[in-house]
Amino acid sequence: MTAVAILGAAGRMGRTLVELVAAADDLTLAAATVRSDSGWIGHDAGELAGCGRLDVALTGDPAGAAAAAEVLIDFTLPAALEGNLAAAVAAGTPVVIGTTGVDATGEQAIHRASAQVPLVYAANYSSGVTLLRRLVQTAAAALGDDYDVEITEAHHRYKRDAPSGTARALGESVARGRGVRLEDHAIQAREGIVGERPAGAIGFQALRGGDIVGEHTVMLAGDGERLELTHRASSRATFARGALRAARWAAERPAGLYDMNDVLGLNDRAPD
Ligand code: NAD
């Protein structure tokens, strides 16, 4: 049995994670956190998740959660990230980060923490998107700059960051395939007299509406043809299952920064 703590248990992802941990034979819920000013503090995590009583009281205390668990899973918001990382490092507890929209300072904190504990950080925990990134890198390398790349994403109306972390990650895959830096070529949503499309640009567009769980398309448009690679998530359980797979994996690792390629065994790292 691996003891898991869910940070952000009141969120859409957090509730799904609590439900799946409760249903898993090899995992047990050690702790679950909500915001320290949440009205849910003291209530039962299972009741909040809608899966019946689990006898785990919700707290606003990531340090206590890190001390109680063998692995932490953080699907909160960027403002909570540094406190959650500090709690993981202080307790020496492996951590899986699902939060997106993390800025450069947050990413530095992730790198620092990964020197102390095993840390998995992925913009998208679905196996399909992990594989899509590989396919996109291969397509961008094979087709080169003659094919214009535009990345579109669609998400539910509540999503706060844009473009999605997954869209950015797909842009990184394009850049890697082309052997360039994404920040030198990214163009975010266009408006007005923007002029001709610069050669080699990697464009991003974000759509928001309804209950869309997450859709991403990478279009590679050449003269006379275009290729579109699309992933559609129909349930957020796919991200939660991937995050739980990452948690089981991280619990057995040495300190270091890992991603879903490592978890799925797609990276050629030296065995440790
Ligand atoms: P959400 O807004 O429903 O949930 C976030 C929750 O975190 C809220 O309940 C909020 O109150 C809580 N929170 C904020 N600060 C906190 C703190 N200090 N301690 C505990 N809880 C705190 O959002 P969501 O749809 O559940 O997504 C959560 C995050 O995960 C977002 O950043 C989202 O972009 C990301 N996400 C990542 C993936 C992935 O595969 N990596 C998939 C889906 C969502």
Side-chain angles (χ1 to χ4, degrees), residues 123-194:
N124 193 308
Y125 279 93
S126 90
S127 302
V129 164
T130 305
L131 188 58
L132 175 64
R133 291 195 61 187
R134 283 295 164 114
L135 299 174
V136 163
Q137 184 175 332
T138 303
L143 298 176
D145 273 9
D146 289 344
Y147 285 67
D148 298 326
V149 172
E150 294 285 317
I151 299 170
T152 53
E153 57 101 334
H155 281 88
H156 53 86
R157 61 169 73 97
Y158 304 106
K159 184 163 179 64
R160 296 163 197 238
D161 53 320
S164 68
T166 302
R168 285 176 207 273
L170 289 165
E172 294 284 358
S173 301
V174 173
R176 198 169 301 145
R178 286 181 172 174
V180 299
R181 283 158 32 111
L182 177 61
E183 50 272 40
D184 295 338
H185 297 278
I187 293 185
Q188 304 298 337
R190 302 177 184 85
E191 188 189 31
I193 313 296
V194 295

Side-chain angles (χ1 to χ4, degrees), residues 7-15 33-36 74-80 84 97-101 122-126 156 158-161 166 236 239:
L7 310 180
R12 283 173 289 268
M13 282 299 301
R15 279 175 280 162
T33 73
V34 293
R35 285 168 56 124
S36 54
D74 177 350
F75 278 75
T76 55
L77 298 175
N84 291 342
I97 304 285
T99 304
T100 67
N124 193 308
Y125 279 93
S126 90
H156 53 86
Y158 304 106
K159 184 163 179 64
R160 296 163 197 238
D161 53 320
T166 302
R236 53 181 53 88
F239 310 122

Side-chain angles (χ1 to χ4, degrees), residues 191-217:
E191 188 189 31
I193 313 296
V194 295
E196 283 186 15
R197 189 180 199 285
I202 301 170
F204 291 88
Q205 302 287 337
L207 313 180
R208 293 289 176 266
D211 61 355
I212 303 169
V213 174
E215 300 188 1
H216 293 85
T217 294

